[in-house]
Amino acid sequence: MAEFLPSGIQLAYLTAVGLFILGLKRMSSPATARQGNILGAVGMLLAVGATLLDQHILNYTYLAVGLAIGSALGVWIAYGVAMTDMPQMVGFLNGLGGLASSLVAVGEYWRLTHSGTDIPIVVGISILLSVLIGNVTFTGSMVAFAKLQGILPGTPIKFVGQQWVNGALLVGFVLGSGWLLFQPDLWIFLTINLIALVVGILLVVPIGGGDMPVVISLLNSFSGLAGSAAGFVVMNNILIVAGALVGASGLILTQIMCKAMNRSLLNVLFSGFGSVTAEGAATEQSQGTVRQIDAEEAAMIMGYARSVVIVPGYGMAVAQAQHAVRELAEALEKLGVDVKYAIHPVAGRMPGHMNVLLAEANVPYSQLYDMEDINPQFPYVDVALVIGANDVVNPSARTAKDSPIYGMPILEVDRAKHTIVIKRGMNKGFAGVENELFFKERTMMLFGNAKETVMALTNALKELQG
Amino acid sequence: MEGLISALFVFVLASFAGFEIINKVPPTLHTPLMSGSNAISGISLIGALLVASSTENLTLATILGFIAVIAATVNVVGGFLVTDRMLEMFKKKEG
């Protein structure tokens, strides 16, 4: 029996890997996504169950306690979080994954050095990689979490010589690693850990809120790679495969997000977007007058339109206005108006952020349109209603070559017959550029908090119904 | 060394499989995909379990392993549940 157990465990791992792959595959279609997620969870349960049968496990008490505490916290967080807070939730969980991978490597390092055996160079390299990626994922994700949660300012934080500091840290990491491979030393090992933690912080600190979709995706990819690296440390295939799958999926999302902003990953990570725009903004002032309207006028225009396209942005998420928006759409539909939603791929703070919020508010998907599908329709749209979005609808992305957002694909709301923009004030968007949309002849500004303004619009529409 | 090579094979092939499987996910599902795959990346829980119980008495390794078990379990349980919560919302309006 004892001889069959190890291969039994391996077979269980193989099955679990199969379930992960099937699960991820099913996550790519709305109809099967929920089932896919459950398959993934079953795979994980199977893998954990099989591991507990391993004969190398010598002490069950800590495991039981750890699993119980972790599960309780997991359930509490998962059911307690508001949908608008989903980006920071994902960031936080990501960070924990990175932390776990790195701790596995540190624990293994300590065990090996104290068992008196030499650490094979291959294992040494795996441990160091796992520490680097795991720690960077951990602190990077926690900084992203703090920025999204508002604990740290969402604007880029930069200081002079930041690149040099980063470079020096990396050189330190490589040198220390080289030393450790030949001469194990606890203090150098701890220093290296510290360096990796600081690198994670410095990597994310200079990145502003609007670039978060890219960073969150990239950290997601890292958390997978960290798991893979930990797999190389304990030489376990299931960690390697599952980590690689997640690494790949995170990378794909990162690519999609970068493409949606027409910027390269390096540019996102190192340009500190939005921090150096003072000159650009100064030259772009006095572009004309802004036409301001109130909720009643806006309701009149929309109520008598044939088609309205709603363009939500981060402002809608901040104001938690998704339910109010749905009610507005329903009021419009009662008046016979055709309502659609146009979703920019990087609207919000994480990939698919707007979709999740609108789903929470019960907006049918058939009404949600991607950028490529809706853009050709804008010239035939009577009213484009922009709610808390800014840079993703800025027409200077098409025309102004010197603009930092030049070349970014945008939702072409300025081509609609009328554009109504709900905004708190004339503040610039995340990119720090003036939005020429606001000064166009066909644009009307409706100032106010997204939720209150949308509710006022809905009430005004209801009066139209009489 | 042989073990490393076959582990590298597994890693490379799994990465290619990942790219193939996940390509073409509609934008609506980007968030759930991310939080679901995030839960899968909590697989380091397996490594954590092994490290946390590698000796019978309490050592630094087992303490670190213990913390890793908690962190990874939160990642796994929280990740799968929150993804399920999201996907449930996506589903209910189909009927």
Side-chain angles (χ1 to χ4, degrees), chain A residues 34 58 78 81 216 351 363, chain B residues 22 31 34 53 56 84-85 93:
Chain A
R34 197 171 177 203
L58 299 174
V81 66
I216 296 262
V363 173
Chain B
I22 290 142
T31 298
M34 198 144 105
S53 59
E56 277 179 67
D84 191 62
R85 225 182 107 197
K93 53 197 184 284

Side-chain angles (χ1 to χ4, degrees), chain A residues 67-273:
Chain A
L67 286 169
I69 296 178
S71 304
L73 286 175
V75 171
W76 181 62
I77 296 177
Y79 287 104
V81 66
M83 282 299 147
T84 38
D85 293 340
M86 206 45 81
Q88 48 271 52
M89 165 82 176
V90 171
F92 180 73
L93 291 177
N94 231 347
L96 291 183
L99 175 69
S101 304
S102 146
L103 287 177
V104 166
V106 177
E108 189 69 2
Y109 181 83
W110 196 89
R111 193 178 70 82
L112 288 173
T113 45
H114 282 255
S115 65
T117 48
D118 279 344
I119 299 178
I121 199 154
V122 172
V123 176
I125 294 175
S126 309
I127 287 179
L128 292 166
L129 272 178
S130 187
V131 162
L132 177 66
I133 308 173
N135 282 353
V136 167
T137 310
F138 173 51
T139 50
S141 299
M142 289 307 159
V143 172
F145 166 77
K147 285 192 166 215
L148 291 165
Q149 187 72 27
I151 302 169
L152 285 177
T155 46
I157 302 171
K158 300 201 83 181
F159 57 87
V160 185
Q162 202 156 356
Q163 315 286 15
W164 292 104
V165 175
N166 286 340
L169 285 173
L170 278 178
V171 169
F173 188 90
V174 172
L175 288 179
S177 301
W179 177 272
L180 280 178
L181 288 179
F182 300 101
Q183 191 67 52
D185 180 305
L186 199 60
W187 288 109
I188 295 184
F189 186 67
L190 289 179
T191 312
I192 286 217
N193 266 282
L194 198 65
I195 290 180
L197 290 171
V198 175
V199 169
I201 296 174
L202 291 182
L203 192 69
V204 181
V205 151
I207 296 172
D211 286 340
M212 276 301 157
V214 179
V215 178
I216 296 262
S217 315
L218 186 68
L219 288 169
N220 186 38
S221 175
F222 279 2
S223 76
L225 293 178
S228 254
F232 278 92
V233 173
V234 293
M235 269 302 160
N236 191 323
N237 275 333
I238 192 170
L239 270 77
I240 298 176
V241 175
L245 291 173
V246 178
S249 92
L251 213 54
I252 289 176
L253 283 177
T254 313
Q255 258 175 353
I256 296 175
M257 293 301 117
C258 283
K259 219 170 141 193
M261 297 200 290
N262 190 38
R263 293 165 61 200
S264 72
L265 181 56
L266 286 178
N267 180 281
V268 173
L269 289 181
F270 298 114
S271 74
F273 209 47

Side-chain angles (χ1 to χ4, degrees), chain A residues 365-443:
Chain A
Y365 342 99
S366 50
Q367 291 187 351
L368 305 189
Y369 286 76
D370 298 342
M371 184 166 55
E372 301 86 62
D373 298 328
I374 198 81
N375 268 346
Q377 298 185 29
F378 272 118
Y380 313 104
V381 167
D382 291 329
V383 181
L385 176 67
V386 179
I387 304 175
N390 193 344
D391 295 331
V392 297
V393 294
N394 190 342
S396 20
R398 284 198 305 257
T399 51
K401 285 218 169 73
D402 54 343
S403 168
I405 58 168
Y406 178 70
M408 171 168 138
I410 57 155
L411 287 165
E412 296 171 338
V413 292
D414 56 318
R415 301 208 159 137
K417 293 185 188 118
H418 302 277
T419 310
I420 298 175
V421 180
I422 298 181
K423 220 173 162 303
R424 269 174 307 181
M426 283 304 284
N427 288 341
K428 293 174 188 119
F430 161 69
V433 236
E434 202 72 69
N435 193 337
E436 64 178 67
L437 174 71
F438 305 156
F439 303 96
K440 294 228 167 187
E441 230 173 277
R442 288 186 290 191
T443 305

